[in-house]
Amino acid sequence: MLQIKQIYKEYKTGNLVQKALDGVSLNLRDNEFVAILGPSGSGKTTLLNIIGGLDRYDSGDLIINGISTKKYKDRDWDSYRNHTIGFVFQSYNLIPHQTVLSNVELALTISGVSKAERKKRAQKALEQVGLGQQLHKKPNQMSGGQMQRVAIARALVNDPEILLADEPTGALDSETSVQVMELLKQVARDRLVVMVTHNPELAEAYATRIVNLKDGKIRSDSCPFEIEESSLGSPVHKSMGRTSMSFLTALSLSFQNLGTKKARTLLTSFAGSIGIIGIALILSLSNGVNAYIKSIEEDTLSEYPLQIQSTAMNLSSMMFDPGSARVEGDSGEIGVTRVLASMFSTVDSNDLEALKLYFDSGESGIENYAKAVEYTYDVDPQIYRLDGNHIRQVNPDGSFSALGIGSGSDSFMSSFMSTDVFYQMPENTDLFQEQYEIKAGRWPEKYNECVVALTSGGEASVIFSYILWD
Ligand code: ADP
Ligand code: MG
């Protein structure tokens, strides 16, 4: 059960304040087909996005099965979106260069389901929407109605409790609209479907409940759901319990994506604090291994360079000296270690400009100790690809943004899941040239050339394949 309580939402652009929702209250049953009607600009999309956790309310509360979301953090919203909600948009939001099957599978890749299982479930979802025979078509070989059915299959493949659809038939003719509505009606048999539409006839014919919105207020509700407040007790505050993915999945994604800057930084800190340095020290105790250590250091350097960033967090000090963060309980009580607080208290910023001047001045003598010093500036390369006769942006990548993750999203989880696959080459590539074998072509020489790095088994990451390949 979903309770929307006195929700207000304003958008401020410059000094213009636009009221989008003006005290909306609505209770939704676990199992019904709600159509939200209203003129353009009445707040329908805003309401749907707030229900789906894509947008935040200013005041009020959204209560999900008795749990208040007032104190939700980004990761709670991530979790809610990934486990509970399926979205269908007017513009389908399919990845044009991927097959229908891959488009549906994509949602599962992110949840870390195995390849065989992914395929099986995606196939089943596509059969459900009547497209079992068209798995290998690309979206541009399909009609609008078919593309919308693919989008519905994608929304359903994770078996969400709630399906949200924003004008799903807005771009369709009346005949295909009817097919999509039939499908949504069938979907609504065992879950909550909330659909925004312009079309009162379709709403009348298919929905089980019609809510009219105007100027951010509810004007009518054909089948209100009153809840005896006292029977519920007050909503509790707690987080979603499950993270957006199992932590293992998140980890394996980040390992697959080892190139990811942030994942690498984290791993570097961990490697520094728990393993590699220790092993090197032990080895150095015995004679004759210096050369070996040197080669290990070089091998790990290209993978784990020492990085100095504008902001940094000192994880190793926390691991070596958690004592400083310990708060003693009274005698007989159990003390607590404030790991998180101490972790964030070590976040600090560096004056990189001064550091570069110092290095450039030659005073530091850094050249004697470093194989190479590289500078990166936070600039994303803009890379496009010619697909037949249209042009597609490959980097920064937007393939995953329809699912609420990847580049652009700023939650903590998505920092593990960056879908960027392009990185700046160091100026001096000697270190790399020793470690990689050229399979085709040659090392890049100019600013507009790039190299594809494969694993030792000759593979590329799954994210890479989604972004770059057909
Ligand atoms: P509907 O979907 O019913 O057409 P919306 O929910 O999109 O309406 O918009 C409600 C009101 O909020 C409109 O006046 C719209 O201009 C405004 N609005 C919506 N999104 C934004 C935004 N991101 N920034 C500024 N104003 C917005
Ligand atoms: Mg809208």
Side-chain angles (χ1 to χ4, degrees):
M1 181 179 55
L2 215 57
Q3 294 165 269
I4 297 151
K5 283 182 100 164
Q6 282 296 314
I7 284 200
Y8 289 84
K9 173 77 183 177
E10 284 178 355
Y11 290 105
K12 294 191 184 73
T13 27
N15 43 17
L16 183 82
V17 177
Q18 179 69 51
K19 234 182 210 162
L21 293 179
D22 191 9
V24 169
S25 294
L26 190 65
N27 296 326
L28 299 171
R29 298 172 181 86
D30 286 340
N31 196 329
E32 60 181 345
F33 188 177
V34 185
I36 298 180
L37 278 174
S40 172
S42 56
K44 305 184 296 294
T45 297
T46 308
L47 179 60
L48 207 68
N49 288 348
I50 285 178
I51 293 177
L54 287 180
D55 206 345
R56 306 282 174 272
Y57 47 84
D58 296 335
S59 67
D61 199 358
L62 175 71
I63 302 167
I64 305 161
N65 296 325
I67 298 171
S68 163
T69 57
K70 265 187 199 159
K71 295 183 181 161
Y72 260 29
K73 305 272 186 311
D74 278 351
R75 48 174 289 182
D76 297 314
W77 287 114
D78 277 353
S79 169
Y80 170 62
R81 272 201 309 275
N82 289 337
H83 288 286
T84 316
I85 302 285
F87 285 102
V88 176
F89 305 90
Q90 177 179 338
S91 52
Y92 325 127
N93 288 357
L94 300 177
I95 302 176
H97 63 279
Q98 293 285 346
T99 63
V100 161
L101 187 64
S102 316
N103 263 287
V104 176
E105 271 185 38
L106 179 64
L108 294 172
T109 309
I110 290 155
S111 322
V113 178
S114 77
K115 192 167 171 68
E117 178 71 17
R118 262 186 349 237
K119 189 161 173 199
K120 206 172 90 194
R121 278 164 57 180
Q123 244 166 345
K124 196 168 144 244
L126 282 160
E127 276 159 22
Q128 258 177 8
V129 303
L131 292 173
Q133 303 303 312
Q134 327 227 12
L135 303 180
H136 301 290
K137 277 194 178 170
K138 301 251 170 100
N140 63 9
Q141 300 164 319
M142 306 189 103
S143 70
Q146 287 174 322
M147 284 195 270
Q148 196 56 295
R149 272 147 59 193
V150 175
I152 293 173
R154 184 183 58 189
L156 290 178
V157 76
N158 268 328
D159 198 21
E161 286 163 35
I162 302 170
L163 185 81
L164 302 176
D166 195 355
E167 307 204 29
T169 62
L172 303 177
D173 60 43
S174 50
E175 196 179 323
T176 34
S177 293
V178 165
Q179 291 171 8
V180 167
M181 294 301 295
E182 286 286 355
L183 181 59
L184 288 176
K185 186 176 156 186
Q186 190 192 319
V187 167
R189 274 191 214 140
D190 47 12
R191 70 196 86 217
L192 168 64
V193 173
V194 184
M195 174 190 69
V196 163
T197 178
H198 258 115
N199 188 324
E201 288 89 46
L202 284 182
E204 204 64 65
Y206 292 94
T208 57
R209 176 176 176 189
I210 297 177
V211 174
N212 259 294
L213 213 60
K214 198 176 167 225
D215 297 331
K217 284 192 161 87
I218 292 182
R219 304 293 158 161
S220 69
D221 183 344
S222 72
C223 185
F225 179 28
E226 308 291 354
I227 304 170
E228 184 101 28
E229 289 288 331
S230 55
S231 72
L232 289 173
S234 49
V236 285
H237 289 288
K238 71 179 187 202
S239 69
M240 278 304 280
R242 304 173 284 191
T243 47
S244 58
M245 310 170 276
S246 79
F247 203 62
L248 259 184
T249 311
L251 270 184
S252 68
L253 254 177
S254 72
F255 276 115
Q256 270 175 10
N257 229 5
L258 239 181
T260 309
K261 259 183 278 163
K262 283 176 182 157
R264 196 193 277 173
T265 315
L266 252 173
L267 286 175
T268 315
S269 313
F270 277 115
S273 53
I274 57 180
I276 293 176
I277 292 171
I279 292 170
L281 279 176
I282 293 167
L283 286 175
S284 70
L285 293 177
S286 39
N287 284 332
V289 288
N290 280 333
Y292 178 66
I293 290 172
K294 189 151 187 292
S295 87
I296 287 200
E297 278 174 358
E298 286 187 358
D299 285 354
T300 47
L301 255 178
S302 60
E303 193 64 42
Y304 308 116
L306 175 67
Q307 294 185 336
I308 303 172
Q309 297 182 314
S310 57
T311 54
M313 178 153 83
N314 188 347
L315 277 177
S316 48
S317 76
M318 180 186 97
M319 289 187 166
F320 289 132
D321 182 25
S324 60
R326 194 168 294 139
V327 178
E328 298 292 347
D330 286 340
S331 83
E333 290 179 358
I334 297 176
V336 292
T337 311
R338 283 189 307 185
V339 177
L340 274 180
S342 72
M343 182 157 101
F344 288 108
S345 71
T346 63
V347 173
D348 216 336
S349 51
N350 293 314
D351 184 352
L352 293 183
E353 203 180 328
L355 183 70
K356 182 165 191 299
L357 282 176
Y358 178 58
F359 283 167
D360 287 350
S361 74
E363 273 172 55
S364 67
I366 182 86
E367 319 73 60
N368 305 329
Y369 304 103
K371 196 93 179 167
V373 179
E374 299 290 336
Y375 299 95
T376 58
Y377 301 88
D378 217 353
V379 178
D380 282 325
Q382 306 289 311
I383 299 174
Y384 295 84
R385 181 192 148 138
L386 194 61
D387 266 351
N389 50 10
H390 62 265
I391 290 171
R392 172 162 75 78
Q393 180 159 5
V394 170
N395 195 73
D397 165 62
S399 304
F400 293 77
S401 58
L403 297 149
I405 66 155
S407 324
S409 177
D410 56 1
S411 69
F412 180 69
M413 256 321 178
S414 49
S415 71
F416 278 106
M417 301 186 43
S418 163
T419 54
D420 290 340
V421 293
F422 287 92
Y423 301 95
Q424 184 181 321
M425 291 277 298
E427 214 161 283
N428 174 356
T429 57
D430 293 355
L431 209 56
F432 287 84
Q433 298 201 16
E434 284 161 22
Q435 291 169 21
Y436 287 90
E437 192 181 326
I438 294 184
K439 287 296 184 187
R442 55 168 174 75
W443 283 96
E445 284 158 9
K446 291 202 306 231
Y447 73 93
N448 61 352
E449 297 178 335
C450 66
V451 60
V452 178
L454 303 178
T455 64
S456 53
E459 289 142 3
S461 83
V462 63
I463 304 257
F464 182 86
S465 71
Y466 267 107
I467 290 169
L468 228 53
W469 294 343
D470 290 326

